Amino acid sequence: MQQENNMHELVERLSRSHNLTDEELLCLLACREETVLLELQRAARKVRETVYGRDIYLRGLIEFTNYCRNDCYYCGIRAGNHHVRRYRLSEDEILSCCRSGYDLGFRTFVLQGGEDPYFDDQRMLRIIERIRTEFSDCAITLSLGEREYESYRRFFDAGADRYLLRHETASRAHYEKLHPASMSFDHRMQCLSDLKEIGYQVGCGFMVGSPYQTNEDLIRDLRFIQKLQPHMVGIGPFIKAKNTPFENQPSGRVEKTLLLLSIIRLLHPHVLLPATTALGTLDPAGREKGIMAGANVVMPNLSPTTVRKDYMLYDDKICTEDSAVQCRSCMETRMELVGCRIVTDRGDYIG
């Protein structure tokens, strides 16, 4: 009973001061007491509603290429996975996705793909400029992986507003267990610093329960978020992918992901926090639970249904056959069930 009381006290202090010591955060990360976890979620919702109300922001996800030069050990579209059917959307197909999304009320388009050399600066600039010209009231978010400073600068100057780049882990030792030697922890961190310096609204993030991850690694992630002060943090449970080195590893836990969503909301009250598709993959009500834990963003898919099954970052990904209309309608219904509402605006960070 005393330990549970101590946990309740930690939640109250985190809600008030938006910070705890490493030791206190470790205690929360190890907590399995349902009453404490529910209190933590209530506190996270209260903080979210103070800043953003009960509005849930839509992001229209366009997965435009599944080619990737990298060989991350966890990823289903890694370069070494020769079982993947590769595809690239044309510029016109990308614009068509945007038009469909715009008609459905989307005011943010997220262009996500593997690190595909085909989409060099020239091609990406042309796509960004076309979207910016046709949809001047929309936000353009890029999620293209690691580039050099000048590329990021060109994209920003052409009209891109936001950039999502998961840091995956703030621990160098852990990073090196998830990636081949050809990939650099320092370069990943430098990219995030560059994006912030240029002026993007920046998103980072990590997988919960990835192989070899410890609670101490998660503390480093939380401290990194506090230092970077990103505008968005995308986290979701690790889910194995076929034909990867980690294909036999256990998935991360939904409950641990919800716990971290609430902690992140309380550490960084203004952050934009997605309830991810990975949550919905492991739990049919996962995205609703994410919203109840403090999240305020959902990202329905606008990609053509003909290619969605080929953008399989992990096994059994949901919503691969639903049309954009179905995804939009489904999200609206799901959010209403938890007392929130989908809003049709850009959903910018409130600083």
Side-chain angles (χ1 to χ4, degrees), residues 47 82 122 132 145 154 158 193 225 251 255 276 283-284 296:
V47 167
H82 301 299
Q122 183 178 5
R132 174 55 59 225
R154 291 187 193 105
S193 177
I225 289 166
S251 294
E255 294 76 17
T276 61
D283 184 330
N296 68 326

Side-chain angles (χ1 to χ4, degrees), residues 322-339:
D322 295 342
S323 69
V325 173
Q326 290 172 314
C327 285
R328 169 70 166 79
S329 176
C330 174
M331 278 296 100
E332 188 157 26
T333 301
R334 287 174 178 271
M335 295 305 102
E336 288 174 353
L337 288 173
V338 292

Side-chain angles (χ1 to χ4, degrees), residues 95-225:
L95 267 291
S96 178
C97 292
C98 292
R99 293 184 191 109
S100 298
Y102 192 88
D103 289 342
L104 292 169
F106 290 85
R107 294 298 178 266
T108 290
F109 303 121
V110 181
L111 302 186
Q112 183 179 86
E115 293 194 18
D116 183 355
Y118 175 83
F119 285 99
D120 57 14
D121 284 10
Q122 183 178 5
R123 283 192 172 91
M124 286 311 307
L125 287 170
R126 194 161 56 239
I127 292 167
I128 294 166
E129 288 164 356
R130 288 185 65 182
I131 295 173
R132 174 55 59 225
T133 298
E134 188 167 344
F135 305 100
S136 60
D137 58 333
C138 293
I140 301 173
T141 302
L142 304 179
S143 182
L144 314 175
E146 296 180 32
R147 302 259 179 156
E148 297 307 317
Y149 183 96
E150 285 308 316
S151 295
Y152 289 147
R153 166 60 71 181
R154 291 187 193 105
F155 300 160
F156 184 78
D157 290 343
D161 304 279
R162 306 172 184 148
Y163 203 102
L164 310 181
L165 179 64
R166 283 190 172 188
H167 64 282
E168 299 301 358
T169 175
S171 163
R172 181 188 300 276
H174 188 214
Y175 182 94
E176 291 173 354
K177 292 178 180 179
L178 301 179
H179 303 90
S182 58
M183 297 183 66
S184 164
F185 174 81
D186 290 331
H187 190 258
R188 178 68 59 96
M189 292 301 180
Q190 184 61 53
C191 285
L192 284 161
S193 177
D194 290 346
L195 291 163
K196 197 82 185 295
E197 179 184 324
I198 289 167
Y200 283 95
Q201 291 185 39
V202 176
C204 65
F206 56 90
M207 296 175 292
V208 179
S210 60
Y212 311 111
Q213 186 182 68
T214 66
N215 281 346
E216 287 75 16
D217 292 328
L218 290 170
I219 295 298
R220 293 186 184 94
D221 289 318
L222 296 174
R223 295 307 184 203
F224 174 72
I225 289 166

